[in-house]
Amino acid sequence: NAGVTQTPKFQVLKTGQSMTLQCAQDMNHEYMSWYRQDPGMGLRLIHYSVGAGITDQGEVPNGYNVSRSTTEDFPLRLLSAAPSQTSVYFCASSYSGGFYGYTFGSGTRLTVV
Amino acid sequence: EDQVTQSPEALRLQEGESSSLNCSYTVSGLRGLFWYRQDPGKGPEFLFTLYSAGEEKEKERLKATLTKKESFLHITAPKPEDSATYLCAVQAERNEKLTFGTGTRLTIIP
């Protein structure tokens, strides 16, 4: 049981490049979400999904796309990277909206130069 | 808009010196208040969920309490391994979104 797996752990992008951050969970959780963590600002929700085929925007969705074709996977796509997207990104999953707690991945540290 | 404010930002304690961390919140209809622990370079680790005022939960040296406006994380006789950033988050009844505070960085000195 691996929990929530995020890849890559580190990434450096040039402005304008695109990339996909991968997130996979093996706990059969319905709910998955992406957060970014910036110093002094706390974790902010980017996008979330309540099940396969269903996604919705969070607090800071601009510049990011998601899709949920399977229960296990929830990739986050950066369409055209900007320096403002330099951050640490966390994927989280849970049963039924988090009543039993959210399980977070170990994060992807992204730098856009 | 949901808001979470944690205080203090940082706290240094001697080993064995008990203290409390504060989480003040405003939310329209609370579904749950969550406490997480985060170690450097790692993702948050779930500690507790509290659902209603008056509820308390304990885990080892940690005890979380909840009122209608704030939650406290009490740490009793802490050890150096309790050093971490502690995050508080609220979830409203109306959606799945978690609103996080900026955390309290706790350092326990041997």
Side-chain angles (χ1 to χ4, degrees):
Chain A
N1 190 340
V4 177
T5 302
Q6 290 185 238
T7 56
K9 293 190 181 303
F10 302 94
Q11 183 72 48
V12 178
L13 287 180
K14 293 182 179 179
T15 298
Q17 287 185 316
S18 63
M19 78 161 294
T20 299
L21 279 62
Q22 301 292 342
C23 175
Q25 53 91 8
D26 61 357
M27 298 170 285
N28 202 30
H29 285 171
E30 298 171 342
Y31 181 85
M32 297 185 74
S33 55
W34 278 100
Y35 288 85
R36 60 178 289 173
Q37 188 173 39
D38 302 292
M41 299 196 72
L43 285 150
R44 292 181 292 168
L45 182 65
I46 304 171
H47 285 285
Y48 66 97
S49 169
V50 299
I54 306 170
T55 64
D56 206 347
Q57 295 182 351
E59 184 182 355
V60 288
N62 292 340
Y64 308 94
N65 263 354
V66 292
S67 60
R68 183 97 178 267
S69 57
T70 67
T71 300
E72 295 79 18
D73 300 298
F74 190 44
L76 178 72
R77 282 181 287 276
L78 279 69
L79 308 173
S80 177
S84 61
Q85 294 179 304
T86 294
S87 187
V88 181
Y89 291 84
F90 290 101
C91 179
S93 71
S94 74
Y95 288 118
S96 185
F99 278 11
Y100 306 104
Y102 290 76
T103 300
F104 281 80
S106 57
T108 295
R109 183 174 294 274
L110 176 68
T111 302
V112 182
V113 298
Chain B
E1 184 178 333
D2 305 335
Q3 286 192 326
V4 176
T5 303
Q6 291 188 247
S7 61
E9 287 187 14
L11 182 62
R12 291 171 62 90
L13 300 172
Q14 291 292 133
E15 184 173 0
E17 180 185 2
S18 301
S19 188
S20 296
L21 313 182
N22 178 264
C23 171
S24 298
Y25 66 92
T26 56
V27 63
S28 179
L30 179 70
R31 175 186 282 186
L33 184 140
F34 301 81
W35 282 99
Y36 286 85
R37 168 191 173 128
Q38 186 174 25
D39 293 300
K42 296 190 176 181
E45 176 186 349
F46 172 73
L47 293 173
F48 306 107
T49 308
L50 302 167
Y51 298 105
S52 58
E55 189 175 1
E56 300 181 350
K57 288 193 176 173
E58 290 187 62
K59 181 179 181 178
E60 296 181 357
R61 294 175 293 282
L62 299 176
K63 179 180 176 180
T65 61
L66 181 65
T67 72
K68 290 187 177 180
K69 293 186 176 182
E70 57 191 350
S71 176
F72 291 94
L73 185 65
H74 307 278
I75 182 161
T76 302
K79 298 181 178 181
E81 54 261 42
D82 295 321
S83 296
T85 296
Y86 290 85
L87 302 173
C88 174
V90 295
Q91 187 179 38
E93 289 177 339
R94 64 186 182 278
N95 59 36
E96 308 285 345
K97 175 178 174 291
L98 285 181
T99 300
F100 280 87
T102 53
T104 294
R105 188 171 67 254
L106 178 65
T107 303
I108 307 301
I109 304 162

